[in-house]
Amino acid sequence: MTSKKKSLLREASHQIIAGGSAGLVEICLMHPLDVVKTRFQIQRGKSDPNSYKGLGDCFRTIFRTEGVYGFYKGILPPILAETPKRAVKFFTFEQYKKLLSFTSLSPGMALSVAGLGSGLTEALVVNPFEVVKVSLQANRDSFKVQPSTFAQARNIINTDGFGLRGLNKGLTSTLGRHGVFNMIYFGFYFNVKDAIPASQDPRLEFMRKFAIGLVSGTVSSCVNIPFDVAKSRIQGPQPVPGEIKYRSCFQSMALVYREEGYLALYKGLIPKIMRLGPGGAVMLLVYEYMSGWLQKNW
């Protein structure tokens, strides 16, 4: 193998390992907030008998009726998906960024377009895991009596197959969610990080990167949440069993807006920001520091 091929393989390995590590750390820290976010997004207004009164009520109710493990429902699909998902996210971002350097796009715009490409690619990988995760998170039974991750996946496949009504249900809304998020997330982080001078003090430099990552995760979450709500409605339980109400991304958004109002498209925003604000910062920092460590030691 030539030295150039070895160098490219080593670079790709660094990006994949660092990206996978970033995803694993983030999901283990932040999954309980993802469960809370999903519960808010699938409830259908005050008429829903299972409606939560607020964020505190949701946490208390889950803890009281489902136990502490209720906050970790559906964690296995993202753990199984998170390493390849984040590896795909960061690896494809780096590759798209490299390809776009040969175009006439400005460096700042190229970062956002590379983020969009990485988000769309990531969505294709992660959507089947999201379908299983949301169906488990929507289950309000005790953690001990709910079906396992693999049993739930088999049930979805046996009932609806692998297609857009089964294991790839809600694909368009997942593409929108990840595409929009990554476009803003990477574009904002790297453009702002380059604009703000680095500090020689390691602690201040860590705080600088964390603060920029926190803002980038928060802004991205605020912009892409209507896609997230549509995804949860499509992939979660339908209001009438056996009758499909939420069919596609924009049809679901329009239906939620018409029946529940504009603010319903932002359901679950607070737990989403609580998760993906600091979670977004954690991912970028773990990725950067792990990449640096791998470059020095491997």
Side-chain angles (χ1 to χ4, degrees), residues 168 175 187 189 293:
N168 273 293
L175 287 166
Y189 179 78
W293 185 86

Side-chain angles (χ1 to χ4, degrees), residues 161-289:
F162 290 93
L164 295 177
R165 290 192 176 183
L167 210 56
N168 273 293
K169 183 164 54 175
L171 179 59
T172 52
S173 52
T174 306
L175 287 166
R177 183 180 81 154
H178 287 265
V180 170
F181 184 91
N182 284 3
M183 179 176 68
I184 298 168
Y185 181 65
F186 285 118
F188 184 95
Y189 179 78
F190 287 105
N191 279 304
V192 173
K193 193 182 79 159
D194 290 344
I196 298 176
S199 172
Q200 298 303 312
D201 186 326
R203 287 175 297 179
L204 290 177
E205 179 61 6
F206 177 88
M207 291 307 299
R208 180 183 80 98
K209 290 180 177 178
F210 186 87
I212 299 168
L214 178 70
V215 175
S216 66
T218 301
V219 173
S220 304
S221 298
C222 292
V223 175
N224 88 327
I225 194 167
F227 290 98
D228 204 357
V229 171
K231 185 187 83 69
S232 294
R233 293 296 177 95
I234 295 165
Q235 294 177 345
Q238 299 290 313
V240 179
E243 183 180 309
I244 300 175
K245 180 177 182 179
Y246 303 104
R247 296 179 179 276
S248 64
C249 179
F250 293 106
Q251 176 263 351
S252 297
M253 284 187 195
L255 199 56
V256 170
Y257 172 74
R258 188 164 63 248
E259 293 184 350
E260 301 170 45
Y262 178 78
L263 290 178
L265 290 169
Y266 290 84
K267 280 186 174 179
L269 179 60
I270 293 174
K272 183 179 173 78
I273 288 173
M274 286 171 66
R275 180 198 168 184
L276 287 175
V282 165
M283 270 196 297
L284 286 164
L285 285 169
V286 171
Y287 177 76
E288 288 198 3
Y289 285 111

